[in-house]
Amino acid sequence: MSRNLLITGGAGFIGANFTRYWCEAHPEDRVVVLDALTYAGNLASIHDLVRAGRASFVHGDIRDFAAVRDLLAQRSIDTLVHFAAESHVDRSISGPTVFVSTNVNGTQALLDAARAVWLDGPRPLPHRFHHVSTDEVYGSLTSDEPPFTETSPYEPSSPYAASKAASDHLVRAYARTYGLQVTISNCSNNYGPYQFPEKLIPLCIVNMLLGKPLPIYGRGQNVRDWLYVTDHCRAIERILVGADANTTWNVGGRAECANLDLVRQLCLAMDAAFAADAGLASRFESCPAARGVSCAELIRFVADRPGHDFRYAIDCSLIESRLGVRPGVALAAGLRQTIDWYLRNEAWWRGVIDGSYQALRGPSDPGNHSRGS
Ligand code: NAD
């Protein structure tokens, strides 16, 4: 069965990886990306697909009910995968309003548009609304508490997590109240290609190459679970193809790691990359590894984030046993692959840093925020 997909936020980090993944795995499907191109959206992440006609791009806002409704109807969309969001915890602390507007009101506008097109016509149309959410809705764990399951209570700490929790509730409410066919996935921290360098891993990679400090909150003991982004894409694919509607799935990497240990691993992997390729030293002269010094010398501890959750951990046994989804890329290998991608795609991240990727949408702050996950 071929599908007509709408991917919201498909110019962002996970959305772009998912768009690339889906176009490769399902060439028979028609794929439309809807993205407002905020500071986090970057057309360069999918422009080759758009140019080749493998995906089409619509510059628009999920909060625009009428535009989304018309898009769903005109493109005969039957599957909506909803990534679009404000996604950075630090930004939600300094400016929560846009998080509520995009993540809560935007999701509700999208749900209303879906309902109008799929349910309110002469007869309901076959459809699926997949909502991409986060493990942060569950709040924080101590070091010895069991990981979150799909039935863990919601206890969000940051405005970001609270806005995602609200959007999850709205998605479930539209399923129960109106009969919308929905699925939800709550995933741990993703990393990999095309991630905006305000998040911990790409920030550290880029700062190492530029010889800048690697800022770590507190003493770096906060624990996160890490998942390579294509493993997340595969999990969403399995949910779309194999899961019943009105189900929720936790997706994790079985790779818990304290932030300081993670950054140290990244430093060692970067040191090794420089040791293996003499050409890197002349390309990135400011990187300590260019002088034979470990990148770990750049690590700096900075004041902790307010309300910083201590630990997230995901019990992903349900999706493993029911849908056969297991993380395929181990953390050490994933970090090496990610470093390799940033080394090979210098133009992409330089464009993000110098703001030239924003030519389409005019000047704005490309992200003076850091250290977050
Ligand atoms: P991102 O910030 O990299 O990308 C978000 C995208 O949404 C951008 O392209 C942006 O332009 C677009 N967008 C923002 N507001 C919009 C609007 N009003 N209308 C249309 N488009 C809009 O985010 P990401 O890291 O790729 O995360 C994608 C989704 O996955 C989010 O919903 C996030 O909550 C969730 N998630 C992320 C992670 C992670 O580790 N990054 C983990 C679990 C869940």
Side-chain angles (χ1 to χ4, degrees), residues 9 11-15 34-38 40-41 60-63 83-87 102 132-134 160 164 187-190 195 199:
F13 162 48
I14 309 175
L34 171 68
D35 200 296
L37 297 179
T38 67
D61 196 313
I62 56 166
R63 291 168 291 191
F83 293 95
E86 290 293 334
S87 70
T102 296
V132 181
S133 192
T134 166
Y160 162 68
K164 291 298 291 188
C187 187
S188 54
N189 277 15
N190 283 215
Q195 189 168 24
K199 305 276 172 78

Side-chain angles (χ1 to χ4, degrees), residues 230-296:
T230 47
D231 281 334
H232 187 189
C233 297
R234 203 160 39 83
I236 295 172
E237 176 193 47
R238 289 299 307 140
I239 293 167
L240 285 173
V241 171
D244 290 337
N246 307 334
T247 52
T248 294
W249 304 89
N250 277 357
V251 183
R254 294 197 180 276
E256 281 186 57
C257 193
N259 286 344
L260 180 57
D261 295 337
L262 181 87
V263 174
R264 282 189 176 136
Q265 275 198 60
L266 266 178
C267 290
L268 289 176
M270 186 66 87
D271 296 344
F274 271 69
D277 178 354
L280 290 177
S282 49
R283 279 176 62 202
F284 303 104
E285 290 174 353
S286 304
C287 179
R291 297 178 266 118
V293 174
S294 174
C295 291

Side-chain angles (χ1 to χ4, degrees), residues 7-17 33-43 57-64 68 82-88 91 98 101-103 106-107 110 131-136 160 163-164 167 185-191 194-196 198-199 225-227 229 232 236 251 361 373:
I7 300 173
T8 72
F13 162 48
I14 309 175
N17 277 283
V33 168
L34 171 68
D35 200 296
L37 297 179
T38 67
Y39 81 93
N42 189 347
L43 254 190
F57 177 74
V58 175
H59 188 190
D61 196 313
I62 56 166
R63 291 168 291 191
D64 187 341
V68 177
H82 176 32
F83 293 95
E86 290 293 334
S87 70
H88 190 35
R91 287 175 182 265
V98 70
S101 174
T102 296
N103 299 358
T107 300
L110 213 53
H131 178 58
V132 181
S133 192
T134 166
D135 60 356
E136 300 194 30
Y160 162 68
S163 69
K164 291 298 291 188
S167 66
S185 49
N186 294 88
C187 187
S188 54
N189 277 15
N190 283 215
Y191 67 101
Y194 301 106
Q195 189 168 24
F196 193 91
E198 65 180 350
K199 305 276 172 78
D225 175 53
W226 293 94
L227 184 70
V229 64
H232 187 189
I236 295 172
V251 183
R361 70 187 78 92
S373 57

Side-chain angles (χ1 to χ4, degrees), residues 185-232:
S185 49
N186 294 88
C187 187
S188 54
N189 277 15
N190 283 215
Y191 67 101
Y194 301 106
Q195 189 168 24
F196 193 91
E198 65 180 350
K199 305 276 172 78
L200 183 63
I201 288 178
L203 175 82
C204 286
I205 293 174
V206 166
N207 280 10
M208 282 187 248
L209 295 174
L210 300 177
K212 292 185 172 175
L214 312 179
I216 299 184
Y217 276 137
R219 301 306 298 169
Q221 295 311 304
N222 302 64
V223 174
R224 299 291 179 264
D225 175 53
W226 293 94
L227 184 70
Y228 194 70
V229 64
T230 47
D231 281 334
H232 187 189

